[in-house]
Amino acid sequence: MFKQLVLAGLIVAAIASCGNAELKGHLVSETYIVKSGDTLTDISYQFMKKSSVKRDIREFREGIIELNYDRVFKDRYPHGLIIAGDRLQINYWQADPQ
């Protein structure tokens, strides 16, 4: 029983110590209105430049689709099709000034 408690304590301590290098900041949410000629990849690059957290472009693009799925993408094919005038909510992390 004692060994199990010690092991459980070590697991909890290991999990708690993961990610302690916190990035101080806040989530920014913007609405972007799609213009003629825009692509979802171009929009993703534009907002990734504002983000303090570096992510893969595909991850950022899929995040936009997921965040706007019910309002914009649910009945569209192919996946991720955007049309001029669409209003996309886009979230990204912005670090607080040091």
Side-chain angles (χ1 to χ4, degrees), residues 6-54:
V6 171
L7 182 58
L10 289 174
I11 292 171
V12 169
I15 291 171
S17 69
C18 291
N20 276 344
E22 286 185 30
L23 180 62
K24 304 274 188 227
H26 58 280
L27 187 66
V28 177
S29 184
E30 291 187 33
T31 300
Y32 180 80
I33 300 173
V34 177
K35 297 183 275 302
S36 181
D38 280 347
T39 68
L40 199 51
T41 299
D42 292 340
I43 295 167
S44 298
Y45 275 120
Q46 178 182 338
F47 281 89
M48 278 180 57
K49 290 178 187 176
K50 296 180 178 186
S51 178
S52 299
V53 177
K54 300 304 171 208

Side-chain angles (χ1 to χ4, degrees), residues 59-70 73 79:
E59 179 186 7
F60 201 91
R61 182 181 181 279
E62 291 301 315
I64 293 172
I65 292 170
E66 182 179 336
L67 189 59
N68 295 278
Y69 184 78
D70 288 336
F73 298 107
H79 183 68

